[in-house]
Amino acid sequence: MNLADIPLIDQHAHNVLRAEVFAQYPYASAFTEGSDPEIINYHARHTFFYRRSLREIAALLNCEAEEAAILARRESLGLEELTQIYFRAANLEAIYLDDGLQAETILPISWHERFIPVRRILRLELLAEQLIPQSEDFATFLTRFNRELDPPPFGVVAFKSIACYRSGLDIQPVAEEVAAAQFALLKQQQNQPLRLTDKFLIDFLLQQALLVAAKYRLPVQLHTGYGDPDLDLRLANPLNLRYLLELPQFRHVPLVLLHASYPYMQQAGYLASVYPQVYLDFGLAVPFLSVSGMREVIRQLLELTPTTKLMYSSDAHSIPELYYLGAKWGRQLLGEVLEQAIADSDITVAEAEAITVAILRENALVLYQIGTRNR
């Protein structure tokens, strides 16, 4: 099944780093979630993902499949031409960018719009970290926080939370006075730069944002599953979201569980099969895993997940190569899994063709109401 002609909606990715910033990092740092220098400078270069990617990048750039040759070729092309090459090869229709990752060092959304239509994803914790130092008291802060979300800013198609990273997915009810007390403690510490890690405050603010999202039927993306070492993987299992999923006031808020919830794919698929508001994507797992690992992720997601609820994304960040690598392997392995499903008599050829288009673009267009939202 050849899917190269189907344009992709990349429904969760991040901005490219400024060239002078990324030049300070080893190239291999873009190919690992690890942050320890020993991981980046040695072990990351011995993963299947890194070795496979060098060959694929070199083939596209017409150079030797060695890091030094690729870096030289990147330098000669420049970041803008390089990005144009990768976006064109990926056959992207649009990207939805969470611009809250490394916010001080990335290129703005306007830069990405030179190459492709872009929609913005608003990161909740970053917004809170920006507003807390500007607010003398909790009441002022909460008013400002809600005002920034309601109505959602122009161009914003989703909110995003990294509660999973900061305090885990077991989101619980928090009284406003408890959140206010935690805010007061945070203000006393006056840590610079401020980094929001208090579970009570994070849980409270996420539920405030969900109330706004419910009003506008706006999707909320949640990091789930693996990521960098800042995250406790034990708390990243999406089954921890049960309290949130059972609350009637959030029943009509689409919750997009990111990154296939790896390694909790089957748990995520189960949630999507029984909760109407749960949706999934498989970015980060694709393209970071081995080929067999990526194939297994998509296969396990589709064991139970309705095909109307699964979406493509790359979770690309830092360098434009990752947009292309995600697109290449997302298409190829989705095709392989669906071909096996045809052989297994799960679906027909015609159904597989419709499912492919749905997962690669149509589900995102419908969920994010692209073409109907007036922003």
Side-chain angles (χ1 to χ4, degrees):
M1 188 179 293
N2 185 3
L3 314 185
D5 293 335
I6 301 173
L8 293 179
I9 302 292
D10 191 341
Q11 69 95 48
H12 178 81
H14 302 276
N15 303 48
V16 174
L17 280 175
R18 298 199 306 269
E20 68 274 17
V21 174
F22 187 71
Q24 302 170 22
Y25 297 92
Y27 190 57
S29 66
F31 296 84
T32 175
E33 288 292 290
S35 55
D36 189 284
E38 186 177 347
I39 292 291
I40 293 172
N41 294 316
Y42 180 67
H43 295 294
R45 291 184 168 92
H46 294 271
T47 61
F48 287 0
F49 173 43
Y50 175 80
R51 294 186 172 191
R52 180 186 75 234
S53 296
L54 285 193
R55 294 193 299 273
E56 292 161 355
I57 291 165
L60 193 61
L61 298 184
N62 193 26
C63 66
E64 293 296 318
E66 299 290 339
E67 185 176 306
I70 290 171
L71 289 173
R73 183 70 170 139
R74 292 176 99 255
E75 181 70 22
S76 68
L77 288 169
L79 185 56
E80 292 203 9
E81 186 174 351
L82 194 71
T83 301
Q84 186 74 268
I85 289 170
Y86 286 121
F87 280 15
R88 187 183 300 117
N91 190 14
L92 294 171
E93 179 177 340
I95 52 177
Y96 304 166
L97 289 180
D98 167 11
D99 59 354
L101 179 66
Q102 297 177 288
E104 302 302 318
T105 58
I106 56 175
L107 289 159
I109 284 177
S110 59
W111 182 88
H112 298 75
E113 288 175 326
R114 299 179 192 176
F115 312 102
I116 193 168
V118 177
R119 305 286 178 139
R120 182 177 174 229
I121 300 164
L122 189 156
R123 187 182 287 219
L124 299 170
E125 289 78 13
L126 178 63
L127 174 63
E129 289 168 348
Q130 292 169 339
L131 293 177
I132 288 172
Q134 304 170 17
S135 307
E136 290 299 319
D137 54 62
F138 183 71
T140 302
F141 161 72
L142 187 57
T143 298
R144 289 174 174 171
F145 182 79
N146 286 322
R147 188 182 298 144
E148 290 290 329
L149 301 180
D150 188 2
F154 180 83
V156 168
V157 294
F159 298 152
K160 155 81 180 294
S161 173
I162 55 168
C164 182
Y165 267 104
R166 299 296 175 82
S167 54
L169 292 176
D170 183 21
I171 311 299
Q172 291 296 318
V174 178
E176 185 169 329
E177 56 268 27
V178 173
Q182 298 305 120
F183 173 89
L185 289 174
L186 192 60
K187 291 289 286 185
Q188 290 174 12
Q189 295 168 7
Q190 294 185 339
N191 293 330
Q192 295 297 330
L194 187 146
R195 186 171 184 274
L196 182 60
T197 59
D198 181 80
K199 178 171 174 55
F200 294 110
L201 201 48
I202 289 171
D203 286 8
F204 177 82
L205 293 176
L206 174 55
Q207 290 172 81
Q208 289 290 302
L210 287 171
L211 291 173
V212 176
K215 180 178 176 181
Y216 295 95
R217 301 293 179 95
L218 192 78
V220 176
Q221 298 184 351
L222 299 174
H223 182 105
T224 62
Y226 89 121
D228 66 50
D230 187 36
L231 173 150
D232 186 338
L233 190 58
R234 296 167 297 182
L235 305 178
N237 187 328
L239 295 182
N240 287 308
L241 291 167
R242 178 174 172 80
Y243 166 76
L244 208 62
L245 295 175
E246 291 289 334
L247 290 176
Q249 62 265 42
F250 304 142
R251 163 65 179 75
H252 297 295
V253 181
L255 296 176
V256 183
L257 310 186
L258 300 173
H259 314 321
S261 299
Y262 180 85
Y264 304 112
M265 293 83 69
Q266 290 171 314
Q267 289 89 334
Y270 162 74
L271 293 175
S273 75
V274 296
Y275 288 100
Q277 70 269 44
V278 174
Y279 293 78
L280 311 176
D281 86 351
F282 50 80
L284 189 59
V286 177
F288 270 59
L289 302 181
S290 69
V291 173
S292 63
M294 292 187 287
R295 185 184 298 113
E296 188 66 10
V297 161
I298 296 173
R299 189 194 66 75
Q300 287 194 14
L301 288 175
L302 285 171
E303 286 176 356
L304 262 180
T305 305
T307 58
T308 48
K309 288 178 153 229
L310 185 60
M311 293 174 289
Y312 168 79
S313 82
S314 65
D315 195 44
H317 57 87
S318 301
I319 58 173
E321 284 90 327
L322 296 177
Y323 289 96
Y324 166 67
L325 296 171
K328 171 183 167 62
W329 287 105
R331 283 191 181 94
Q332 180 170 325
L333 294 169
L334 176 62
E336 290 181 14
V337 170
L338 293 180
E339 284 179 350
Q340 184 60 52
I342 294 169
D344 292 341
S345 75
D346 279 329
I347 54 176
T348 66
V349 171
E351 288 169 338
E353 292 172 350
I355 289 167
T356 298
V357 175
I359 291 174
L360 295 182
R361 63 184 301 277
E362 287 184 354
N363 289 344
L365 293 174
V366 172
L367 182 66
Y368 295 95
Q369 303 178 52
I370 303 303
T372 59
R373 288 194 188 279
N374 186 26
R375 49 184 182 273

